[in-house]
Amino acid sequence: MFIGLTFASASLADERPSPPGPPDAASTFVASSAADRLAAWVRETADNQGLPFLVIDKVSAQVAAFDREGRLIGVGPALLGLARGDVSPPGIGARPLSTITPGERITPAGRFLASMGENLGGKGILWIDYDAALSLHPVITTRPADRRLQRLATATADDNRISFGCVNVPADFYAGVVEPVFRDTTGVVYILPEVRSVAEVFFLPAVVPSEPDQGRGAPDQVSAPRPSSRPPLHPPPAAP
């Protein structure tokens, strides 16, 4: 079981978490069934390989942070890409924001090896997928018309789709939870799908045995996907 964590089969959108704080303060966190299964699988299989990790539920617009042992550190709301989808458009990370259409503003699903870094403006961010210019960072407030702070504060996830693909979180959650968890280490970020299945995104097919009469193996015989590479030193412009 997860210490200080209650999982249920309700949607994360049905109940907002307590503000970020110590593990006991997050004991009322209610996960979607998909987030429940994935977090339990990570803990049981040690897929995080001894690294801290995040589980990002796009449907419910929430981020849960765990330490190396799989204990919940904190949970908070998130803003995500405007468009529904699980795969980033090819070459999206090298394109100017002005060329990205609303339908291409996707937060991709998958398993990523993430680490702290900076954007071109020198602001601290958590790089999730460098090639796609995908990061998690404090909420962007430079466009008042976006109402990003207000969107984070609402009790529903219906209005949390606004970004170009990056994950925006409250500044205090970033400073109090994300930065300490990923300081001086890499970590794993699991972003749940919203169109594809969890099995399709996170579990590779079982290895086919050489003997033809043994079949393909049981459905639960899965292996972890390979993480992305560590971000290089010179970042591309991250999408807000």
Side-chain angles (χ1 to χ4, degrees), residues 2 6-9 31-42 55 57 192:
F2 288 93
T6 300
F7 280 123
S9 296
S32 67
S33 58
D36 182 351
R37 292 193 300 271
L38 182 63
W41 176 79
V42 172
V55 174
D57 190 325
L192 291 170

Side-chain angles (χ1 to χ4, degrees), residues 110-135:
R111 179 190 190 275
F112 305 91
L113 189 64
S115 62
M116 302 299 296
E118 293 181 346
N119 61 16
L120 289 180
K123 301 293 186 180
I125 59 176
L126 177 69
W127 279 112
I128 299 175
D129 186 339
Y130 178 86
D131 291 337
L134 175 67
S135 67

Side-chain angles (χ1 to χ4, degrees), residues 21-196:
D24 288 346
S27 60
T28 59
F29 173 48
V30 178
S32 67
S33 58
D36 182 351
R37 292 193 300 271
L38 182 63
W41 176 79
V42 172
R43 176 68 179 268
E44 291 166 5
T45 64
D47 181 76
N48 60 315
Q49 300 178 359
L51 298 172
F53 64 95
L54 303 180
V55 174
I56 300 176
D57 190 325
K58 290 197 290 178
V59 174
S60 301
Q62 288 194 332
V63 179
F66 300 83
D67 67 11
R68 298 171 183 269
E69 303 300 323
R71 293 183 292 254
L72 183 69
I73 301 299
V75 60
L79 301 180
L80 302 148
L82 175 67
R84 265 67 176 176
D86 295 322
V87 180
S88 293
I92 193 73
R95 291 168 52 187
L97 295 182
S98 60
T99 69
I100 300 174
T101 66
E104 295 177 314
R105 294 165 62 171
I106 295 170
T107 299
R111 179 190 190 275
F112 305 91
L113 189 64
S115 62
M116 302 299 296
E118 293 181 346
N119 61 16
L120 289 180
K123 301 293 186 180
I125 59 176
L126 177 69
W127 279 112
I128 299 175
D129 186 339
Y130 178 86
D131 291 337
L134 175 67
S135 67
L136 181 151
H137 54 71
V139 59
I140 299 288
T141 59
T142 53
R143 283 177 49 89
D146 286 350
R147 301 179 62 254
R148 297 198 181 198
L149 289 176
Q150 292 90 333
R151 291 171 185 270
L152 283 172
T154 59
T156 175
D158 294 341
D159 59 353
N160 286 45
R161 309 304 291 259
I162 185 66
S163 81
F164 277 78
C166 283
V167 181
N168 287 209
V169 296
D172 58 351
F173 180 79
Y174 182 85
V177 176
V178 177
E179 281 190 319
V181 168
F182 283 84
R183 183 178 295 131
D184 300 323
T185 185
T186 55
V188 184
V189 174
Y190 301 89
I191 304 180
L192 291 170
E194 56 189 342
V195 176
R196 304 163 71 189

